[in-house]
Amino acid sequence: MGRFFCAVLTNSPKKGIMGLTNLQRGAKNMKRLLSLFTAFALVLALGIFLPEGALSSSFFTVNADNLEDFSYYRYFDGTIAISKYNGSNADVVIPDEIDNISVTIITKNAFKDNTAVKKVTLSKNCNMIEENAFSGCTSLQTVVVPDTLTHILDNAFYGCSSLKEIDLSQVKVIWKSAFRGCSSLSEVSLNEDFCDLKEYVFADCTSLKSITIPSTAKTIEQFAFKGCTSLENVTLQEGTIYLENGCFMGCTSLKSIFLPKSILRVEYDAFYDCSSLESITGVQGGSYVYKDDSVFAFAKSSYELYIFPEANDSFTPGKGSRTISRNALRHCPKLTDIYLYGCNGIAYDSGMLYNGDFSELIRCLETYSGQINISSECKLIRKYALSRIKANTVTIPDSVTEIEDEAFVDCKSLYTVYIPDSVTVFGENIFGGCSNLTIMCYKNSAAEKYAKENSINYKLLDATPGNVNEDDVSVF
């Protein structure tokens, strides 16, 4: 640029003319560069705004006979992906090909919240249904599936409350919440090579009555069948290893469950709120030991009561029992009797289970009502120990120093808890859901501080035990 500038200022016409010529050439080059930059920017913009996978072709709407209702694009593998249904028909048939190119993908949100469609016939070459493709299609009743379909992604049919039938026997991968809220779906057949059952995959399918889990499904993830209130039969085959937290939570019609020998771990609350569950059966020799005609299961390694069916009204751990999982008896609304024979690690008194030396309160029966007086030897109140109890008053002795998380959670009938100043360690959400509760405590105690920090009603006791200073009352 310095040469061009000097040439313009020289007195020599020849040099001036040469300088201008070079400037003109430079300007042309700059225009070319700008054109290239603009084209590159357009390519980038298309890459950003096109649906995922549309990297090799343009995105456009079909305006041909019987195809005018579809938008589509060329997928990275050269096939066609349907990106949007623009029509209003109740019965929709996805074309097998467009311009002699196979239609293989239904992309994310393609039919999302379309309340007009009742039946969809997928193209014979379709192999994937992407995220939210049919979510919110509340009128959709039937989906005709080809043998080529292998993948259904997250939330694909979430909330399709009218969906009654869909053949999944050829599908190998179904991602989380894919059929959540499909409340009319009554039957599901899974592929023998099916992968893990993802979280919430069939949650709230309230019409689903039975399910057979193939041996290739190693894990049933958390809340996979949560809220399937009509589910009566679950068949777990040898090969399944893990049952995650809440995977069958709220399956209120489930009466029995068989755990194959391959099961290594059942997470807490796997069968929480299965109020009809009467028995848990399994093959001896695995990670769990089954007692009393397979009514409940112990962890083999520690002989700890781990799973107890909620529908039972009595409990006999048996000789050799050492301890009870904090979740084993968390929700047993019908349990009224506990019988202990030679259980050195467990003690029972007045509706309450303790460890062997009474230093830890493990569980109070939910059916226990009236007033509860905890043993004077107790030092620790464990998690869920008094959850959902029907009692209205609980007195904690001054031997207790710690109350764990959610110890009193969901006690709707609980009005008064007396907490001494010996309790200095408080867990989280101890009184969650106790809407009528008032804590009775001493001034400047850890209990008073806890009540203030958690906006719980409390009254201060006089120094003389049992007396209440009515002038020191805090209501939140």
Side-chain angles (χ1 to χ4, degrees), residues 265-335:
R265 182 70 175 174
V266 179
E267 293 289 348
Y268 71 95
D269 289 346
F271 299 101
Y272 181 72
D273 203 20
C274 292
S275 55
S276 298
L277 188 61
E278 297 175 346
S279 67
I280 298 170
T281 60
V283 179
Q284 301 288 4
S287 296
Y288 294 93
V289 178
Y290 305 94
K291 293 284 294 180
D292 289 358
D293 296 324
S294 303
V295 172
F296 51 84
F298 284 86
K300 183 179 179 181
S301 58
S302 61
Y303 214 59
E304 170 187 45
L305 177 68
Y306 201 78
I307 315 169
F308 184 81
E310 295 181 7
N312 289 329
D313 58 7
S314 64
F315 168 47
T316 307
K319 187 176 181 179
S321 304
R322 297 191 186 115
T323 186
I324 298 174
S325 164
R326 66 181 56 184
N327 300 289
L329 303 175
R330 180 182 172 188
H331 186 209
C332 295
K334 299 178 182 180
L335 186 61

Side-chain angles (χ1 to χ4, degrees), residues 70 82-85 92 94 106-115 117 120 122 132-137:
F70 297 98
I82 299 295
S83 61
K84 185 69 175 176
Y85 176 67
V92 177
I94 309 293
I106 308 299
T107 70
K108 61 178 68 175
N109 305 320
F111 287 79
K112 189 174 188 292
D113 296 328
N114 185 318
T115 57
V117 65
V120 172
L122 299 177
N132 294 295
F134 294 94
S135 66
C137 294

